[in-house]
Amino acid sequence: MTDSKFARRAIVTGLGAGVALTAAAARAETPAASAPARWQPTMDAQDDWMELPGKHRIVFDAISAKGAQEALFFADNYIGANKSGYDLAPDQLATIIVLRHHATVFGYNDAVWKKYGAVFGPFLKFKDPKTKKWPLRNTLMTVPAKTPADEAVSIPIMVGKGVHFAVCGAATHFIAGVIAKATKAKADAIYADLAANLVANAHMVPAGIVAVNRAQERGYAFSYIG
């Protein structure tokens, strides 16, 4: 190889290396693209009541008359197991029962049932298990134990254990319309009456399914009852 050819090859090689070094330097000086921020839910103020004290959180979702009663039993089992298995008192647990769809009416107190139970019954195809007639009381306010060895479970008992209830506002509007049609009264006035007569520890929410969503966004484990 002649000296001139060797010189030309050295120049070309040197230029290539220089370009590579320049590109590498440019890449090093270019800031890395920042990773997109992790999505976080918005915490709306009207849901702040869900910030219940407790080491663990769970929400039970009930949509039927049977589901409403079973939600009480499941919640009681949950609280009992945490006590026997972990020595956690009820006030160390955040527990919510959502009453929506056909379970919604069990979020109303006895005063409402006495006035409108004759409408609730046919609408829900639900009769008072004691009288076998259309119910004129919230049957979950007093629930006898299944056997002598069982603990009685009712809304007041669960309230005493710190359980809270979310009552579906959308279903309440619908129910108010059903009552208004049957009684020739104003639906808005009936809705206000229903909303003013909830069971203890109950919160009217825009819709039960929204409460299910918001509770999970606030860290509640989810249990569907039916």
Side-chain angles (χ1 to χ4, degrees):
M1 180 183 295
T2 64
D3 290 343
S4 59
K5 287 183 179 179
F6 178 83
R8 285 197 299 274
R9 180 172 294 180
I11 291 171
V12 171
T13 302
L15 286 174
V19 170
L21 287 172
T22 302
R27 286 195 298 272
E29 292 175 2
T30 302
S34 57
R38 185 176 183 274
W39 177 86
Q40 294 290 339
T42 298
M43 299 302 174
D44 300 299
Q46 58 263 49
D47 302 317
D48 284 348
W49 66 267
M50 294 181 176
E51 292 301 318
L52 305 174
K55 295 182 177 181
H56 302 282
R57 294 179 166 187
I58 190 168
V59 57
F60 295 95
D61 181 25
I63 67 168
S64 66
K66 181 181 179 182
Q69 180 170 346
E70 289 183 337
L72 296 180
F73 286 108
F74 283 128
D76 191 56
N77 288 342
Y78 168 77
I79 291 170
N82 271 282
K83 177 60 179 175
S84 62
Y86 299 87
D87 198 27
L88 294 176
D91 62 5
Q92 294 178 285
L93 305 170
T95 308
I96 294 173
I97 294 176
V98 175
L99 300 171
R100 63 186 180 95
H101 198 48
H102 288 177
T104 303
V105 294
F106 295 97
Y108 312 142
N109 63 24
D110 279 335
V112 165
W113 281 78
K114 188 174 181 179
K115 291 167 68 174
Y116 307 122
V119 179
F120 294 160
F123 169 64
L124 298 175
K125 296 180 176 58
F126 173 76
K127 290 187 177 182
D128 188 323
K130 183 179 292 186
T131 66
K132 308 303 180 184
K133 298 179 181 179
W134 301 131
L136 297 179
R137 65 187 181 98
N138 184 334
T139 58
L140 297 188
M141 295 299 287
T142 54
V143 181
K146 291 183 177 180
T147 72
D150 289 334
E151 177 185 6
V153 178
S154 65
I155 287 175
I157 288 174
M158 299 314 293
V159 167
K161 295 183 178 183
V163 174
H164 281 243
F165 299 87
V167 182
C168 182
T172 298
H173 275 294
F174 180 82
I175 292 165
V178 172
I179 295 171
K181 186 175 181 179
T183 62
K184 310 302 181 186
K186 297 289 186 181
D188 288 345
I190 294 172
Y191 176 87
D193 190 20
L194 299 176
N197 285 281
L198 302 180
V199 298
N201 280 8
H203 311 263
M204 185 67 75
V205 297
I209 191 62
V210 173
V212 168
N213 164 250
R214 298 299 192 269
Q216 290 181 88
E217 289 182 341
R218 288 175 183 258
Y220 283 77
F222 171 72
S223 177
Y224 175 72
I225 306 302

